[in-house]
Amino acid sequence: MKINDLLHQTSEWLKGTGPNSDIVISSRIRLARNLQKFPFPHWANKKQNRDILDAVAQAVPAIEGLKNATLFKLSELDNIDRQFLIERHLMSYEHAQKTDFKGLIIDDEEVISIMINEEDHIRAQVMQSGFNLFEAWGILNKVDESMARELPFAFLSDWGYLTACPTNAGTGMRGSVMLHLPALIMTRQINQVLAAIAKLSFTTRGLYGEGTQAVGNFFQISNQISLGPSEKEIIENINGLIRQIIEQELQTREILMTKSKIMLEDKIYRSFGILKSAYTISSQETTELLSLVRLGVDLGMIRDITRRTVNELFILTQPAHLQKLENKKISSQERDFKRAEIIRQQLTVK
Amino acid sequence: MLCNICGKNPATVHLTEIVDNQMNELHLCEECAREKSSQMEQQFGLSDLLVGLTQTEKSSEDKEFANLKCAGCGLTYKDFKKIGRLGCGECYTTFKKYLGPLLKRIHGSTIHHGKTPFLTVKVTKNKVDVQELRQQLQKAVESEAYEEAARIRDQIKEIEQKQSPEPGGNEEK
Ligand SMILES: [Zn+2]
Ligand SMILES: [Zn+2]
């Protein structure tokens, strides 16, 4: 597989399917693992980092689910490719910095991805569409078991899997759910929700980046605690919280539909109209308007395009994706033209 | 609106930061937002650690442990305090006395209840290497990890029971 092959397929997490996919975009589980006898990547020397990369690379053929996977060396990719992989949520922004001896394994379907020599030797993740953490865990657990057969992991019986940062020790597990919450934001109820989440030791962040929550009505919610509860308990705790948020968002959508239907229709159809007719558009405006169009699809107001089309547009209109489509580096102004063009094409009913 | 950090580029990313249940609004340009988010994640781990450390640490212990060095990787306790990251798996044993209270502060627990990598030995290999398990058992006993030792002992028992009906399977007493 080559990076360019990914451009024309839909990432698993963007398919717009799975439970509660009107509100939940995707579910993701990642595990942090480290090899015994090797320093953690930040503390290892070059030779050690190379040995770690080699050891994991050698194990790949024996790892479950990676029969059709490709290992990329980050130092061999150009900036646009790296940015492209970040936009597809296949790796972190941090992983694209200081790329010596860093690796990324991706399976053909973009379900499983494994970062080598990020903060930990191994950061393996599985993504699923919709509200589906247990499904993701089922896949990742098998990946982990087959890795453990090949690679000796640093582990203590009382403290679990050992990680570079003690905040990840124990299960090494982070479960994240990406939510689309336009109604809670429109009605300004989101702050209460977020404050409650912070009290419960969960973290929120935006579509991109860590530790923050950003634009476009998207929120990613993750567990903070990784030592103590079992993997199953961690997932159950996240699920409990997510179910409450979904319920609140649904109720608020219903209230908006009964009390301010015309206002809502106006917002949604105007957004749709701008996206279908603009000839230049920024990334920021795109995300905001697409979010409203997605709400329109979810509420059954817009019927001639699918959720999947809207989801794909979120990613195709990102800077590196636009440049991959053009097959060259283009300026921010040119990107705004290209972005508008792609949106017009996709939203025009064939 | 201009970016709150650089004051030059237009603010296109609007963040809400929650620190100690206080919400702060930030309006940033795309570039500063990226910077900020990677920074925040690091700080997040770090500040958590530092709070934990200062609270569990007494000045006399500080002196005693500042130069404590991990035999596995050479990281000192001082290094750890500075960078907020450990050097290798062995560091957890070297700095056990300090990490215990810190883990408790971060996670509210110091006992792992999740999966272990050892179970896979049983599940995966057809001819399980009992010898290998015995070595693990001995190691566990030596490092006083009795819970783990008990688990491995059960595993060995289970395997031997499974293997015993096999013709020629050498049963150990
Ligand atoms: Zn700025
Ligand atoms: Zn060490």
Side-chain angles (χ1 to χ4, degrees):
Chain A
M1 177 182 68
K2 295 200 175 65
I3 303 248
N4 284 346
D5 298 340
L6 302 178
L7 191 56
H8 302 287
Q9 74 179 30
T10 306
S11 303
E12 168 62 33
W13 65 280
L14 284 171
K15 287 190 173 151
T17 55
N20 301 94
S21 51
D22 52 343
I23 293 178
V24 181
I25 311 286
S26 63
S27 303
R28 182 183 72 136
I29 307 249
R30 75 111 166 100
L31 291 175
R33 297 288 185 256
N34 288 283
L35 309 184
Q36 286 171 18
K37 314 233 187 272
F38 282 104
F40 299 138
H42 76 97
W43 197 248
N45 61 35
K46 283 188 176 179
K47 190 196 169 297
Q48 289 165 327
N49 278 323
R50 179 185 319 206
D51 290 347
I52 294 159
L53 180 59
D54 288 347
V56 181
Q58 266 178 27
V60 171
I63 299 176
E64 179 123 0
L66 297 187
K67 296 277 173 294
N68 296 307
T70 312
L71 168 72
F72 297 99
K73 290 185 176 166
L74 269 284
S75 55
E76 291 167 6
L77 302 178
D78 65 25
N79 275 331
I80 292 179
D81 279 344
R82 289 180 206 150
Q83 183 60 36
F84 174 82
L85 293 167
I86 297 170
E87 288 172 1
R88 293 182 88 77
H89 288 200
L90 292 168
M91 68 178 206
S92 66
Y93 176 69
E94 286 68 31
H95 204 45
Q97 320 302 310
K98 292 185 208 138
T99 56
D100 283 356
F101 310 113
K102 283 184 176 171
L104 178 69
I105 302 165
I106 310 168
D107 83 301
D108 271 4
E109 313 272 303
E110 293 180 76
V111 172
I112 305 167
S113 70
I114 302 177
M115 292 189 279
I116 308 165
N117 280 331
E118 204 237 30
E119 182 179 297
D120 294 296
H121 296 150
I122 293 173
R123 286 274 178 105
Q125 73 164 30
V126 166
M127 302 257 267
Q128 291 286 289
S129 273
F131 187 22
N132 237 339
L133 283 175
F134 272 116
E135 190 92 12
W137 170 239
I139 300 169
L140 187 53
N141 193 20
K142 284 185 189 153
V143 172
D144 181 46
E145 276 176 15
S146 57
M147 285 196 299
R149 257 173 267 156
E150 306 298 317
L151 304 162
F153 287 150
F155 181 89
L156 284 175
S157 63
D158 43 356
W159 290 351
Y161 293 89
L162 307 176
T163 51
C165 184
T167 52
N168 294 312
T171 55
M173 184 201 242
R174 192 77 76 224
S176 311
V177 176
M178 174 99 65
L179 298 157
H180 182 226
L181 305 173
L184 286 174
I185 290 165
M186 250 181 244
T187 56
R188 302 185 190 282
Q189 294 180 71
I190 193 70
N191 289 356
Q192 293 164 19
V193 175
L194 293 181
I197 292 169
K199 269 188 205 137
L200 291 168
S201 306
F202 289 88
T203 52
T204 36
R205 48 189 181 215
L207 194 49
Y208 291 97
E210 311 256 317
T212 54
Q213 52 102 343
V215 280
N217 302 335
F218 292 98
F219 293 84
Q220 188 171 296
I221 292 172
S222 323
N223 62 301
Q224 229 177 321
I225 288 168
S226 57
L227 172 63
S230 69
E231 290 84 0
K232 190 169 165 260
E233 285 164 339
I234 290 174
I235 295 174
E236 277 165 358
N237 288 339
I238 304 173
N239 282 354
L241 177 66
I242 299 292
R243 266 185 226 114
Q244 286 180 34
I245 301 174
I246 290 175
E247 195 49 46
Q248 289 185 42
E249 170 70 19
L250 280 177
Q251 278 174 11
T252 314
R253 286 184 187 185
E254 224 176 279
I255 293 169
L256 285 173
M257 281 293 272
T258 45
K259 293 199 171 155
S260 340
K261 187 156 187 237
I262 294 177
M263 296 294 292
L264 199 59
E265 281 173 332
D266 182 65
K267 263 182 195 273
I268 288 169
Y269 288 120
R270 271 170 191 270
S271 305
F272 199 28
I274 292 172
L275 288 173
K276 281 198 287 192
S277 22
Y279 271 72
T280 172
I281 191 164
S282 72
S283 161
Q284 163 83 11
E285 190 180 3
T286 303
T287 311
E288 283 175 7
L289 297 179
L290 274 178
S291 165
L292 285 165
V293 168
R294 220 202 107 124
L295 180 62
V297 173
D298 293 336
L299 293 174
M301 286 182 190
I302 298 173
R303 293 172 189 276
D304 43 5
I305 54 166
T306 63
R307 194 177 280 151
R308 180 173 176 152
T309 304
V310 183
N311 283 1
E312 277 175 339
L313 275 175
F314 277 110
I315 207 105
L316 284 175
T317 53
Q318 296 290 323
H321 275 74
L322 290 172
Q323 296 180 76
K324 293 280 295 174
L325 287 170
E326 285 288 271
N327 207 12
K328 63 175 188 213
K329 200 170 158 53
I330 52 176
S331 72
S332 142
Q333 193 187 38
E334 287 170 303
R335 290 207 293 270
D336 290 352
F337 299 158
K338 178 74 187 171
R339 182 178 293 117
E341 184 191 318
I342 287 170
I343 296 170
R344 285 199 316 273
Q345 277 168 7
Q346 298 285 321
L347 294 186
T348 309
V349 186
K350 285 147 212 160
Chain B
M1 194 185 328
L2 289 177
C3 169
N4 290 163
I5 292 182
C6 66
K8 284 179 200 152
N9 305 324
T12 52
V13 179
H14 309 277
L15 303 169
T16 310
E17 192 180 15
I18 305 171
V19 181
D20 297 330
N21 294 330
Q22 287 279 326
M23 312 237 329
N24 302 315
E25 284 196 5
L26 284 170
H27 308 281
L28 309 173
C29 69
E30 209 161 321
E31 209 170 293
C32 292
R34 284 221 187 275
E35 183 113 313
K36 178 84 183 162
S37 41
S38 69
Q39 223 181 54
M40 276 173 73
E41 206 231 2
Q42 275 162 19
Q43 275 175 5
F44 184 72
L46 207 65
S47 60
D48 226 351
L49 287 176
L50 295 180
V51 173
L53 285 167
T54 44
Q55 287 198 351
T56 52
E57 187 173 69
K58 291 171 197 82
S59 54
S60 59
E61 283 178 344
D62 196 16
K63 269 180 204 151
E64 187 190 334
F65 280 90
N67 294 317
L68 188 64
K69 202 177 202 169
C70 172
C73 71
L75 183 109
T76 63
Y77 181 67
K78 227 190 216 160
D79 292 327
F80 169 56
K81 268 191 70 179
K82 208 167 88 195
I83 56 182
R85 298 280 185 278
L86 292 151
C88 74
E90 250 187 271
C91 289
Y92 278 87
T93 313
T94 313
F95 308 121
K96 194 159 189 143
K97 204 180 148 195
Y98 271 101
L99 288 174
L102 178 61
L103 288 168
K104 178 93 190 167
R105 261 192 55 77
I106 298 171
H107 299 282
S109 167
T110 51
I111 304 291
H112 173 62
H113 290 107
K115 65 185 288 192
T116 80
F118 306 114
L119 284 172
T120 54
V121 175
K122 178 184 74 185
V123 184
T124 58
K125 291 188 186 168
N126 282 337
K127 286 249 171 178
V128 181
D129 197 352
V130 178
Q131 199 69 30
E132 197 178 298
L133 280 174
R134 286 197 191 287
Q135 277 171 12
Q136 279 182 17
L137 174 62
Q138 198 178 343
K139 253 192 226 161
V141 173
E142 276 166 15
S143 59
E144 297 181 25
Y146 296 117
E147 227 178 282
E148 191 179 308
R151 197 156 44 211
I152 298 171
R153 199 172 297 129
D154 289 347
Q155 230 177 297
I156 295 174
K157 235 186 242 164
E158 199 178 313
I159 292 160
E160 286 177 347
Q161 275 167 3
K162 265 193 210 155
Q163 287 181 341
S164 55
E166 268 178 36
N170 49 345
E171 216 172 331
E172 283 183 40
K173 297 273 142 58

